[in-house]
Amino acid sequence: KQEVTQIPAALSVPEGENLVLNCSFTDSAIYNLQWFRQDPGKGLTSLLLIQSSQREQTSGRLNASLDKSSGRSTLYIAASQPGDSATYLCAVNKLGAGSYQLTFGKGTKLSVIP
Amino acid sequence: GAGVSQTPSNKVTEKGKYVELRCDPISGHTALYWYRQSLGQGPEFLIYFQGTGAADDSGLPNDRFFAVRPEGSVSTLKIQRTERGDSAVYLCASSGAELTDTQYFGPGTRLTVL
């Protein structure tokens, strides 16, 4: 069974710092990996989707990398801002039957201090 | 440009009661998903629809849970004889038919069973 782990569970940084969030998964037979953002009381917003054949994706100040063979992904946030404060979730689609199911980690709660 | 909407946003019920949670997907999206997110956890897959049929209901925890999508658009998640352990945020997502398509999530329904 696929398991997704995110470290750290919570992170607090001063505004302007660059930071890295980590995600690991136990089964490397994945189709996609996605990073989501969740604000309190809100749904999930997709930030970046990396297909298994890709190594990284970039959007603005966000960069996500994928090392499928080692079962790891990182989300790099440059020049953090207070508006980046949220919970960041990593999720994978497995290959084969049931590949539309997303398996999520528990998330990293980020606080950016002004 | 409406996104996925879910109603109600909050539902408080008593143990043993029946509840219905509604999801309106993005227009034109053929795939619809239900997930459940307990406090401090990532979302967990419940059921997946492709069109009107439930293509995979393997994530439903027991036979008290049932979901329908009669016209291939709006979906209703139904929970019979609710239990306190059913308390969670129920998230709905929709996407296009391809596995590479991003799943777009609604804001969720927070269910509290007293």
Side-chain angles (χ1 to χ4, degrees):
Chain A
K1 178 185 174 184
Q2 178 75 272
E3 292 185 2
V4 179
T5 302
Q6 292 188 246
I7 295 173
L11 180 64
S12 184
V13 300
E15 181 178 1
E17 270 204 7
N18 304 324
L19 60 101
V20 174
L21 307 180
N22 296 292
C23 171
S24 62
F25 45 96
T26 54
D27 187 347
S28 62
I30 66 167
Y31 198 85
N32 294 331
L33 183 142
Q34 285 186 260
W35 283 93
F36 290 87
R37 169 185 173 136
Q38 186 171 33
D39 294 280
K42 304 279 182 68
L44 280 67
T45 301
S46 179
L47 298 173
L48 291 164
L49 182 151
I50 311 176
Q51 296 180 36
S52 62
S53 59
Q54 298 174 324
R55 297 286 292 186
E56 65 178 330
Q57 284 284 346
T58 298
S59 176
R61 295 182 294 109
L62 305 180
N63 177 277
S65 68
L66 173 63
D67 184 342
K68 196 171 69 131
S69 61
S70 68
R72 296 185 182 192
S73 176
T74 61
L75 179 66
Y76 174 83
I77 302 178
S80 58
Q81 303 171 357
D84 295 331
S85 298
T87 296
Y88 290 81
L89 293 156
C90 166
V92 297
N93 296 81
K94 66 177 183 178
L95 283 175
S99 52
Y100 38 79
Q101 296 180 23
L102 289 172
T103 301
F104 285 86
K106 293 183 179 181
T108 294
K109 185 174 182 179
L110 174 65
S111 298
V112 181
I113 312 301
Chain B
V4 178
S5 62
Q6 293 186 246
T7 55
S9 56
N10 281 283
K11 176 71 176 178
V12 180
T13 190
E14 294 180 343
K15 180 175 178 294
K17 299 290 188 183
Y18 168 83
V19 297
E20 290 190 352
L21 311 179
R22 176 188 169 106
C23 171
D24 279 89
I26 292 172
S27 177
H29 278 184
T30 57
L32 186 145
Y33 315 79
W34 284 97
Y35 292 83
R36 178 167 74 171
Q37 186 174 24
S38 300
L39 192 64
Q41 304 294 313
E44 294 181 324
F45 170 81
L46 295 177
I47 187 169
Y48 157 65
F49 288 88
Q50 184 60 253
T52 59
D56 183 353
D57 64 359
S58 63
L60 296 177
N62 52 59
D63 62 6
R64 295 187 297 105
F65 289 74
F66 188 72
V68 296
R69 194 186 186 198
E71 297 179 356
S73 178
V74 170
S75 176
T76 304
L77 178 65
K78 308 180 180 191
I79 310 174
Q80 298 177 324
R81 304 183 303 281
T82 52
E83 299 178 357
R84 292 194 179 89
D86 298 335
S87 296
V89 176
Y90 290 80
L91 294 165
C92 176
S94 70
S95 75
E98 301 299 324
L99 287 176
T100 52
D101 290 340
T102 298
Q103 294 184 24
Y104 293 88
F105 282 78
T109 294
R110 181 175 297 278
L111 175 66
T112 303
V113 182
L114 302 176

